[in-house]
Amino acid sequence: MGKSIIKSQDLQFLFDPRTALKASVFFSLKKILKAMDDRKEKLHIAMFPWLAYGHIMPFLQVSKFLAQKGHRISYISTPKNISRLPKLPPNDLSSSNITFIELPFPQNIDGLPPGAESTGEIPVHKVPYLKKAYDMLQYPLTEFLKTSDVNWIIHDFAPHWLPGIATPLGINLIFYSIFNATLFTFLGPPSALLGDYRRSRPEDFTQVPEWIDYPSETAYKLYEMVNHYECMDEDVSDFQRIGLIVQGCQFVILRSSFEFEPDEIRLLAKLYQKPVVPIGLLPPSLISSNQLVKTDEKWEGIKKWLDNKGDKSVFYVALGSEVTLSQEFMHELAFGMEKSNLPFIWVVRNRPLVLEGQKGQDMIPPGFEERVPDRGLVLRDWAPQLQILAHSSVGGFLTHCGWSSIIEALSFGRALILFSGASSDQGLNARLLHSKKVGLEIERNEVDGSFTSDLVAETIRKVMVEPEGEPLRANAWAMREIFGNEEMNNKSLEEFTRFIQEFAP
């Protein structure tokens, strides 16, 4: 459980000349150490993620690790989001130490579709209303905290009001970024986030900021920031939320590692003037995932199709559960995949709320599936992504550059065809991975994000089969030692656990 920290006043009696070092003294010391260990084992930690599936799952991963170490976890979210979480095995130690706390979701929020409790259920321009609803959770959360014995709250970027609730109650705060350090070094210190630095327009985010003290070309494209501005609350921007959260927390944890981002993590601690602790990349467990899909007929069909393809010959295409492209862009992407003349699996999401009535299948060009019957497999809505990426026939991944998807791909050494989903951290991830030479970014117009099918096909072929792509394929394969190294990642979680046990605010 980590070293015990003994304060000088606890041992003062040992140095009292009037006291002999008798057995009773040692018993007293033993009691002190045991009491301190008991306190460590009984930490009560609340988890409070943002209302997005890509956030609630990494929070659950950390919850399970801490629970297995004997800490009590209160995992807090809304009913619909908690119901979507995978059930914990009853014989798992973590299941007995995790309690799921459902906060009632605010009703009748103007602009928010009825029943929507997460970003995956709404278009990007409706996300600001979800943030307003999330902010109203502060009231039931406060009541819960007042009647609990929570020691720590591990929270997301959004609850800018949380320090004002937790500090008077004597509760410590940890800002948990499910993103990497590159995003937050780009955004800068709290002073920049809260307006002391002149970045008020989307155009202002298209240059590398002055505080980056290592070689970098990582910046947003204009269309990416224009898109991101759509999902920000006008009353409290995402930058303000992060700035206030960073100011109010005791320290920051990141879903990253020193092995992957040494310069970025070092700089972030300097910018924040507080501890920044990487907790590893949290690669998902293929064993656990296999248990969920081992009897799934859909996976059996996909596996049979992949088993008939050559080693690393297939590229997998998935743009995440929340990325929305216009029909024009989807068709252009499809034509590029077709022109590559390489086998592929393409997951097409069906999100009628987002596409305003258009079903997922409408986004596929007429006759497309008939033209690629043997080398193209189109899957609708859901696919067992981890199993697909793990298959030896898959060599590349055309991705929207979400951090979780990147981690999954590089944990199996798959080369990346980078196509930014133009939201959140995705544009910066595309530049970062392009610069690290583990993938190539599809060239797009910086103003409107447009692209051509010829460039899509060219980029796919470079990454997958062309001689000039061999270094990319080799670099991506080598990344397994960082992204897929379970022992290394568990070591980071162990160090984080010791940190909170020994932390003295």
Side-chain angles (χ1 to χ4, degrees):
M1 298 299 293
K3 290 182 181 178
S4 297
I5 297 176
I6 306 171
K7 295 180 180 179
S8 59
Q9 59 266 33
D10 295 329
L11 299 182
Q12 188 175 2
F13 65 88
L14 285 177
F15 303 99
D16 188 333
R18 296 168 298 179
T19 305
L21 288 177
K22 297 180 181 178
S24 59
V25 173
F26 291 106
F27 287 132
S28 298
L29 177 57
K30 190 175 179 181
K31 285 175 67 177
I32 291 170
L33 293 174
K34 184 179 186 304
M36 294 176 77
D37 283 340
D38 287 345
R39 282 202 300 272
K40 287 178 183 178
E41 291 172 4
K42 293 179 180 177
L43 279 179
H44 185 184
I45 303 165
M47 309 293 289
F48 189 51
W50 164 236
L51 305 177
Y53 195 67
H55 291 241
I56 64 176
M57 283 305 295
F59 269 73
L60 183 63
Q61 280 181 278
V62 174
S63 298
K64 289 167 70 175
F65 188 89
L66 291 170
Q68 286 166 357
K69 295 298 177 182
H71 299 300
R72 289 186 296 128
I73 306 297
S74 290
Y75 189 102
I76 304 169
S77 192
T78 62
K80 200 170 181 181
N81 286 303
I82 287 177
S83 70
R84 294 181 66 194
L85 291 170
K87 303 302 179 189
L88 299 175
N91 58 343
D92 190 330
L93 175 62
S94 63
S95 64
S96 61
N97 284 337
I98 298 178
T99 303
F100 294 95
I101 307 296
E102 297 184 358
L103 300 183
F105 190 80
Q107 300 299 310
N108 304 320
I109 301 295
D110 288 342
L112 195 62
E117 291 186 18
S118 69
T119 55
E121 301 169 287
I122 53 177
V124 65
H125 65 273
K126 296 284 187 181
V127 173
Y129 304 111
L130 188 66
K131 287 173 179 166
K132 290 182 185 298
Y134 185 80
D135 288 343
M136 293 178 69
L137 295 178
Q138 63 183 291
Y139 305 109
L141 178 61
T142 302
E143 292 307 307
F144 167 76
L145 294 174
K146 282 179 179 178
T147 57
S148 75
D149 58 349
V150 167
N151 307 109
W152 291 93
I153 304 174
I154 301 178
H155 57 85
D156 221 318
F157 77 96
H160 61 97
W161 36 264
L162 191 53
I165 293 172
T167 303
L169 295 173
I171 301 172
N172 298 319
L173 296 176
I174 302 170
F175 169 32
Y176 173 17
S177 162
I178 65 148
F179 306 113
N180 56 37
T182 294
L183 170 66
F184 289 98
T185 54
F186 182 88
L187 295 178
S191 57
L193 290 160
L194 296 172
D196 290 355
Y197 185 74
R198 291 187 177 181
R199 284 200 303 191
S200 57
R201 306 169 305 149
E203 292 83 355
D204 299 330
F205 293 84
T206 59
Q207 302 293 325
V208 178
E210 60 190 33
W211 52 76
I212 302 291
D213 62 0
Y214 49 83
S216 174
E217 296 179 4
T218 301
Y220 283 103
K221 307 293 186 187
L222 182 59
Y223 72 91
E224 293 167 339
M225 282 310 294
V226 168
N227 186 76
H228 187 72
Y229 265 64
E230 279 192 67
C231 76
M232 287 204 294
D233 181 5
E234 290 182 359
D235 296 329
V236 189
S237 73
D238 287 356
F239 312 123
Q240 290 172 299
R241 289 175 186 271
I242 296 166
L244 292 168
I245 280 294
V246 170
Q247 281 185 337
C249 71
Q250 269 64 49
F251 65 95
V252 177
I253 59 176
L254 295 164
R255 192 181 183 188
S256 188
S257 71
F258 281 115
E259 291 78 10
F260 183 68
E261 293 186 293
D263 293 332
E264 293 83 352
I265 293 170
R266 173 194 55 78
L267 176 59
L268 195 59
K270 179 181 172 184
L271 294 174
Y272 285 176
Q273 291 293 294
K274 59 182 59 182
V276 173
V277 181
I279 59 169
L281 294 150
L282 306 183
S285 168
L286 186 60
I287 295 172
S288 300
S289 188
N290 277 333
Q291 290 171 349
L292 295 174
V293 301
K294 62 184 177 183
T295 59
D296 186 79
E297 292 180 9
K298 190 171 189 177
W299 166 236
E300 290 303 316
I302 296 166
K303 184 179 182 301
K304 185 176 179 180
W305 187 89
L306 282 168
D307 287 344
N308 290 320
K309 304 300 179 206
D311 187 56
K312 295 184 183 177
S313 64
V314 177
F315 65 94
Y316 172 62
V317 183
L319 301 181
S321 58
E322 298 176 19
V323 171
T324 305
L325 293 183
S326 67
Q327 188 178 71
E328 178 188 356
F329 279 12
M330 285 286 276
H331 285 193
E332 201 68 22
L333 190 64
F335 295 142
M337 292 155 54
E338 184 178 355
K339 288 177 182 179
S340 76
N341 290 315
L342 296 173
F344 63 86
I345 294 177
W346 182 20
V347 182
V348 182
R349 299 285 182 180
N350 181 6
R351 299 185 68 210
L353 266 175
V354 175
L355 303 173
E356 295 177 359
Q358 291 178 312
K359 301 291 185 182
Q361 53 265 38
D362 297 333
M363 308 304 280
I364 300 171
F368 176 80
E369 291 177 270
E370 289 73 21
R371 294 194 300 273
V372 293
D374 298 323
R375 65 181 179 86
L377 182 61
V378 178
L379 306 174
R380 289 176 172 80
D381 289 339
W382 179 84
Q385 179 161 295
L386 208 59
Q387 282 71 23
I388 292 171
L389 289 170
H391 198 284
S392 60
S393 294
V394 175
F397 182 18
L398 196 161
T399 173
H400 68 301
C401 304
W403 190 227
S404 290
S405 288
I406 288 166
I407 290 169
E408 290 181 12
L410 291 179
S411 69
F412 297 110
R414 306 310 178 206
L416 302 171
I417 302 139
L418 302 161
F419 184 84
S420 163
S423 177
S424 186
D425 61 325
Q426 293 160 15
L428 295 184
N429 289 339
R431 312 300 101 77
L432 173 67
L433 294 154
H434 185 99
S435 71
K436 287 186 178 285
K437 296 181 170 54
V438 294
L440 280 182
E441 187 171 4
I442 294 171
E443 188 178 329
R444 299 172 69 176
N445 182 289
E446 297 200 8
V447 176
D448 61 11
S450 59
F451 57 95
T452 67
S453 58
D454 288 338
L455 279 173
V456 172
E458 181 184 327
T459 307
I460 291 170
R461 291 195 61 82
K462 280 182 182 177
V463 171
M464 292 293 296
V465 295
E466 301 292 351
E468 63 186 288
E470 181 53 40
L472 301 175
R473 296 190 286 275
N475 290 341
W477 187 249
M479 280 289 171
R480 292 175 307 144
E481 296 305 314
I482 295 175
F483 282 76
N485 191 324
E486 200 167 317
E487 183 180 344
M488 181 189 296
N489 283 283
N490 280 341
K491 184 181 176 184
S492 295
L493 281 170
E494 293 275 6
E495 290 172 355
F496 159 62
T497 305
R498 285 197 296 272
F499 194 91
I500 59 171
Q501 288 168 174
E502 300 176 358
F503 188 86

